[in-house]
Amino acid sequence: MAQDILITYETLFELLKREKERTDLQKLEPTFFSDTIAYIKDKKKILEAKSDSPFAQEERKKTERQLDNIYKILKELYERREKKIISLALDKSRTKSPLIDTSPLMNEEKVFFEAITDLFDNYRESILNSV
């Protein structure tokens, strides 16, 4: 049963930490990307809000720092997942095993996984068949 997870700065940090600590690809909610986009839009609304109070200025600075850090977290999370997906695709191409667990892949990642697996298969086949 899928559980809705509210995206916050802390949850993004925890997801990255979990992805770093474990060698296998971690399961994310299917709505992870759309939830993250909504969260970033909310943060940007805070930046766009106009107010002259010192509290609002401080909140704006804090939000700017958070957005910078969010983008860094997302980039690192993406790159770690990308590396793991490439490794999975290489394993699948080499072994031709239907037992490779692709359940942690999100729909967007499945497209990438299958494309890179096909690329590995085609390249391997063209080289090995010509030898």
Side-chain angles (χ1 to χ4, degrees), residues 15-16 19 32 73-81:
L15 290 171
L16 175 59
E19 201 71 54
F32 174 76
I73 288 170
L74 289 173
K75 182 177 187 264
E76 186 173 352
L77 181 63
Y78 175 84
E79 288 174 352
R80 285 182 178 276
R81 291 182 68 80

Side-chain angles (χ1 to χ4, degrees), residues 16-63:
L16 175 59
K17 182 179 170 194
R18 191 175 67 189
E19 201 71 54
K20 280 181 174 181
E21 291 172 346
R22 300 181 183 163
T23 57
D24 54 327
L25 192 64
Q26 300 303 297
K27 182 113 174 104
L28 295 177
E29 292 298 316
T31 59
F32 174 76
F33 287 127
S34 58
D35 292 346
T36 301
I37 289 168
Y39 173 66
I40 289 172
K41 283 181 181 178
D42 288 344
K43 289 292 182 184
K44 286 183 176 182
K45 284 179 188 174
I46 292 171
L47 293 179
E48 293 168 359
K50 295 183 179 181
S51 178
D52 293 331
S53 77
F55 177 74
Q57 292 296 334
E58 191 59 37
E59 185 67 22
R60 189 172 290 127
K61 286 180 186 176
K62 177 183 171 189
T63 302

Side-chain angles (χ1 to χ4, degrees), residues 1 11 35-36 48 71 76 83 99 113 116 121-122:
M1 180 170 157
T11 56
D35 292 346
T36 301
E48 293 168 359
Y71 290 130
E76 186 173 352
K83 185 176 179 180
L99 301 177
F113 172 78
I116 198 81
D121 288 346
N122 292 336

Side-chain angles (χ1 to χ4, degrees), residues 66-101:
Q66 268 192 346
L67 269 173
D68 285 344
N69 288 334
I70 288 166
Y71 290 130
K72 289 175 187 173
I73 288 170
L74 289 173
K75 182 177 187 264
E76 186 173 352
L77 181 63
Y78 175 84
E79 288 174 352
R80 285 182 178 276
R81 291 182 68 80
E82 179 182 60
K83 185 176 179 180
K84 290 177 182 183
I85 292 167
I86 291 169
S87 180
L88 269 177
L90 186 58
D91 288 346
K92 178 159 181 144
S93 177
R94 285 178 178 163
T95 64
K96 304 291 185 215
S97 172
L99 301 177
I100 301 286
D101 183 16

Side-chain angles (χ1 to χ4, degrees), residues 97-108:
S97 172
L99 301 177
I100 301 286
D101 183 16
T102 59
S103 64
L105 295 170
M106 293 183 291
N107 289 335
E108 299 87 351

